[in-house]
């Protein structure tokens, strides 16, 4: 079916495909830099693995330098319709210097800012509270040792300064997302003490004022992680309360909850109390295993909740997965495009008739409409969206992804 036929099919349901495409073209996805190098970063100072961060696999072609990562990113963006963002972690600095985390400055990230401007991209930012000797105990901002807490508070302050400066340079908001790995492998006896320390550290980190037009602070919760199975200090309840009290954004990561929880259901619940929401879209498999997202029910429900609840303006969408068992660039492309496809499906849904059936308690009609809607030609509308951006689909996309992978597989 071609686009004009699809347009007519949706019109029968009262859906304007042109309006849906116009909205989709304005929705940026913040693509995460850490998929390209297996969350290793580019620090020249001594570091270490840890913090519950683990990438599986060793597929050929991992980016080893900032330049290689940027080349890979450029290819990935060339396969994705629309204009998007890059989510940068603090240990992806690009400098010959060797600053520790509490010494980083804006200049260490200037090459990224210049590159993003050349590419027509916007950046987001994250402090890096893992893969460092002072995070070996899976404790950072809640560590009992004041000197270690001070180190990480300073790191967080500097990241906020860097993010605010990036926002000023690029003329808009930068989301600065705060996640820490803090917790306990076995049952602790003083949860309150750890949470008091985390709260005080966050308060100190967020105390310096920055222009809100350039910086949006977000806090990210987690159910558990490797090495913190018994208790995560920054739980969902902790950060929900903190975000409400301090008017920060709340980050909901789809892998950070129990596998049977519907994270999409949380959006409208927290939106009643929190103004700004950050989504980290991932695919957990039994735990926070960060698989490349599929166009599955969980993603579709997330997109539908955003669109139907009119939360697009209040929700920042980013990806967070790292799979080294497959082509890293293909993973980026598949993930972003699947999120876009889910958003498109939600924008093409016949909201008026669905709401009318639900409001009228006609759940039979609601179910019939929902099921019939699945057979509508979404793919033809998606293909049109890609064609207008001169992005490939189908066999052409697969050939492009495989062809690029063959070129980077020669890296040693």
């Amino acid at each position: 079916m071609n686009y004009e036929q699809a347009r007519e099919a949706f019109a029968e349901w009262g859906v304007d495909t042109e309006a849906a495409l116009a909205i989709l073209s304005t929705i940026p996805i913040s693509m995460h830099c850490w998929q390209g190098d297996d969350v290793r970063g580019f620090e020249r100072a001594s570091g270490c693995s840890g913090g519950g961060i683990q990438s599986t696999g060793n597929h050929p072609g991992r980016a080893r330098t900032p330049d290689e990562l940027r080349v890979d990113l450029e290819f990935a963006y060339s396969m994705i319709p629309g204009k998007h963002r890059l989510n940068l972690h603090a240990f992806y600095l690009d400098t010959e210097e060797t600053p520790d985390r509490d010494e980083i400055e804006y200049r260490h990230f200037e090459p990224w800012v210049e590159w993003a401007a050349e590419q027509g991209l916007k950046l987001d930012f994250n402090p890096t509270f893992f893969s460092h000797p002072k995070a070996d105990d899976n404790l950072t901002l809640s560590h009992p040792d004041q000197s270690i807490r001070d180190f990480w508070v300073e790191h967080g302050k500097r990241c906020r300064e860097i993010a605010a400066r990036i926002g000023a340079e690029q003329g808009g908001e930068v989301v600065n997302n705060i996640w820490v790995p803090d917790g306990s492998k076995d049952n602790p006896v003083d949860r309150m003490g750890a949470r008091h320390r985390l709260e005080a550290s966050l308060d100190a980190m967020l105390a310096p004022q920055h222009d809100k037009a350039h910086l949006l602070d977000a806090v990210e919760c987690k159910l558990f992680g490797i090495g913190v199975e018994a208790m995560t200090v920054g739980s969902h309840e902790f950060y929900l309360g903190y975000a409400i009290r301090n008017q920060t954004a709340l980050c909901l990561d789809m892998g950070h909850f129990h596998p049977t929880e519907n994270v999409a259901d949380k959006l409208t619940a927290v939106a009643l109390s929190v103004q700004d929401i950050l989504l980290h879209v991932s695919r957990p498999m039994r735990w926070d295993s960060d698989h490349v997202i599929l166009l599955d029910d969980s993603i579709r429900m997330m997109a539908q909740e955003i669109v139907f609840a009119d939360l697009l303006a209040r929700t920042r969408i980013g990806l967070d997965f790292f799979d080294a068992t497959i082509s890293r660039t293909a993973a980026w492309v598949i993930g972003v495009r699947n999120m876009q496809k889910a958003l498109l499906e939600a924008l093409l849904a016949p909201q008026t008739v669905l709401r009318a059936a639900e409001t009228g308690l006609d759940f039979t009609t609601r179910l019939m409409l929902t099921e019939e809607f699945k057979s509508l030609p979404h793919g033809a509308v998606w293909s049109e969206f890609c064609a207008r951006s001169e992005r490939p689909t189908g066999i052409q996309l697969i050939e492009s992804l495989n062809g690029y992978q063959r070129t980077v597989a020669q890296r040693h």
Side-chain angles (χ1 to χ4, degrees), residues 31 73-80 84-86 121 391:
M31 200 165 78
L73 286 163
E74 289 173 19
F75 168 76
Y77 286 120
S78 74
M79 297 289 106
I80 301 168
H84 300 285
R85 304 175 70 91
L86 176 68
L121 299 168
R391 297 299 190 260

Side-chain angles (χ1 to χ4, degrees), residues 179-255:
W179 175 80
V180 299
D182 295 37
S184 176
K185 185 171 182 63
D186 213 337
N187 294 318
V189 297
D190 187 13
R191 298 169 190 260
M192 182 64 83
R195 286 179 170 138
H196 273 314
R197 291 191 294 271
L198 176 56
E199 181 182 45
S201 295
L202 289 168
D203 288 347
M205 183 193 309
L206 296 173
Q209 297 296 304
H210 297 281
D211 190 337
K212 292 185 177 181
H214 299 148
L215 176 66
L216 175 65
D217 291 299
V219 290
E220 179 179 355
C221 63
K222 191 166 185 174
L223 178 62
F224 82 99
I226 297 175
V228 292
E229 293 86 350
M231 188 271 288
T232 298
V233 184
S235 64
H236 176 57
E237 294 77 9
F238 175 91
Y239 277 126
L240 177 59
Y242 193 89
I244 294 170
R245 292 194 307 277
N246 296 277
Q247 298 185 324
T248 68
L250 180 68
C251 177
L252 299 177
D253 186 303
M254 293 182 68

Side-chain angles (χ1 to χ4, degrees), residues 108-273:
H108 301 134
F109 300 88
E110 278 189 290
W112 283 107
V113 179
E114 294 168 358
W115 170 82
E118 293 168 359
Q119 299 297 315
L121 299 168
K122 303 292 187 181
L123 298 176
D124 292 309
F125 206 71
N126 307 260
T128 306
F129 291 96
F130 54 87
S131 297
H132 188 279
K134 291 187 177 179
D136 273 352
D137 297 318
N138 281 336
L139 292 170
T140 59
L141 294 180
S142 69
H143 202 290
D145 186 327
Q146 180 71 54
S147 66
I148 292 180
R149 295 202 304 276
D150 289 344
F151 173 88
W152 289 115
V153 167
E154 181 63 23
H155 172 65
K157 286 181 177 179
R158 285 174 178 259
C159 287
R160 295 184 69 234
E161 291 175 1
I162 292 164
R165 174 69 182 278
I166 293 173
E169 293 294 328
Q170 64 188 24
E173 172 191 270
V174 168
V175 178
N176 182 63
N177 184 50
I178 300 164
W179 175 80
V180 299
D182 295 37
S184 176
K185 185 171 182 63
D186 213 337
N187 294 318
V189 297
D190 187 13
R191 298 169 190 260
M192 182 64 83
R195 286 179 170 138
H196 273 314
R197 291 191 294 271
L198 176 56
E199 181 182 45
S201 295
L202 289 168
D203 288 347
M205 183 193 309
L206 296 173
Q209 297 296 304
H210 297 281
D211 190 337
K212 292 185 177 181
H214 299 148
L215 176 66
L216 175 65
D217 291 299
V219 290
E220 179 179 355
C221 63
K222 191 166 185 174
L223 178 62
F224 82 99
I226 297 175
V228 292
E229 293 86 350
M231 188 271 288
T232 298
V233 184
S235 64
H236 176 57
E237 294 77 9
F238 175 91
Y239 277 126
L240 177 59
Y242 193 89
I244 294 170
R245 292 194 307 277
N246 296 277
Q247 298 185 324
T248 68
L250 180 68
C251 177
L252 299 177
D253 186 303
M254 293 182 68
H256 285 194
F257 297 90
H258 192 278
T260 62
E261 287 189 272
N262 178 3
V263 182
D265 180 62
K266 300 181 185 295
L267 281 176
T268 47
V270 302
L272 295 173
S273 302

